[in-house]
Amino acid sequence: MSSHIILAAANAPMAKFFETQGFDSLYVNQESVANQLLATTDESLAVTEYVQYLKCLRATTTVRMLADAAIGSDPISTTINRISHCGMDTIVISDDDENHRSLTLADFSNHIQAARSCIAGLSSSLMLNLGHLEQYGYQGLSERIKLTKNTNVTAIVVSHVTPDDLGGLAPLLAENHQIGLALDHPDFSYGMVQAMMPAFILDTYHPSLAAKQSVQNAGNSVIAKLFMG
């Protein structure tokens, strides 16, 4: 059975196109929005700017939308509340600290509890992004997955892994049927990730690559017409 595919979509034309192609779930994060608005991922957006962008994007498509909540310095409960009221169907929280390193297990537990308390009164569901396998290893990953048991986290995505990590992830994927994999590495293919039989595949790499190529191709075409007629 093929895994459900969720594509990253950073702008309205991309979102509408993916919808016409039959994709029913799209993902947005702060970095992709910053790249759209500022042409860089090195500068972070304010929560207000991000939320306004999400509202506009929500108005362009009827598909299920997932939005990253790893933005700004506000309490996670405040950020979740604001993003939920943009009409996002699923809010994705990460295990990052303010320096983009892994939260300690204790801080991670508190993070989950705060998110859990906030999401209970909202219409959005909660997804967890575990993205620091290289720091806490398979044991740490397993411990973080166990902490989500009996919570309202409905799905988990494991990101920032390499092809060499896939063999060690196989037992965790077999035991936990709500776990998906992020396709965010240039050496990954759909076939390679699909062979792991994750619950879903969150593809951030190929849409980002396509967006960059589209800009380059359009720019080259305009320049060619200006100078070659």
Side-chain angles (χ1 to χ4, degrees):
M1 183 177 70
S2 297
S3 300
H4 184 224
I5 296 175
I6 302 170
L7 295 179
N11 57 55
M14 185 179 287
K16 294 183 78 169
F17 176 75
F18 287 154
E19 183 176 14
T20 65
Q21 299 305 300
F23 292 96
D24 62 2
S25 300
L26 300 175
Y27 169 70
V28 187
N29 65 5
Q30 188 275 143
E31 285 188 355
S32 63
V33 174
N35 191 52
Q36 288 292 313
L37 298 179
L38 306 174
T40 179
T41 59
D42 295 331
E43 296 183 38
S44 296
L45 296 173
V47 176
T48 300
E49 296 169 328
Y50 181 58
V51 166
Q52 183 58 41
Y53 194 92
L54 292 179
K55 287 180 180 177
C56 294
L57 201 56
R58 173 73 282 177
T60 69
T61 179
T62 60
V63 302
R64 176 173 167 252
M65 292 195 67
L66 300 79
D68 184 23
I71 179 171
S73 57
D74 291 341
I76 188 65
S77 57
T78 302
T79 305
I80 286 176
N81 189 65
R82 295 187 67 179
I83 292 176
S84 177
H85 283 90
C86 295
M88 298 296 106
D89 300 284
T90 299
I91 298 175
V92 184
I93 62 169
S94 72
D95 57 349
D96 287 349
D97 65 14
E98 63 274 10
N99 297 313
H100 303 292
R101 291 184 58 82
S102 170
L103 292 167
T104 66
L105 198 60
D107 288 341
F108 175 74
S109 179
N110 293 334
H111 190 61
I112 290 293
Q113 292 306 317
R116 176 187 181 187
S117 298
C118 177
I119 205 77
L122 301 173
S123 59
S124 305
S125 61
L126 197 62
M127 179 186 288
L128 176 63
N129 179 6
L130 296 176
H132 295 281
L133 179 63
E134 82 287 354
Q135 291 183 36
Y136 42 64
Y138 297 113
Q139 179 62 36
L141 180 64
S142 180
E143 291 171 342
R144 283 157 176 78
I145 292 171
K146 287 178 181 177
L147 282 176
T148 67
K149 301 294 185 183
N150 302 317
T151 70
N152 42 11
V153 173
T154 58
I156 297 171
V157 60
V158 181
S159 62
H160 299 112
V161 298
T162 69
D164 291 339
D165 297 322
L166 294 182
L169 288 172
L172 285 173
L173 292 173
E175 295 170 4
N176 301 274
H177 301 294
Q178 85 280 28
I179 297 180
L181 288 176
L183 202 167
D184 54 9
H185 193 285
D187 292 336
F188 275 150
S189 66
Y190 275 110
M192 186 185 299
V193 178
Q194 179 61 59
M196 301 297 296
M197 294 188 291
F200 58 91
I201 297 172
L202 175 57
D203 185 358
T204 59
Y205 175 73
H206 291 104
S208 175
L209 180 63
K212 292 176 183 176
Q213 291 174 338
S214 175
V215 171
Q216 291 170 350
N217 291 338
N220 289 337
S221 176
V222 169
I223 297 300
K225 290 188 186 318
L226 284 173
F227 289 98
M228 299 178 67

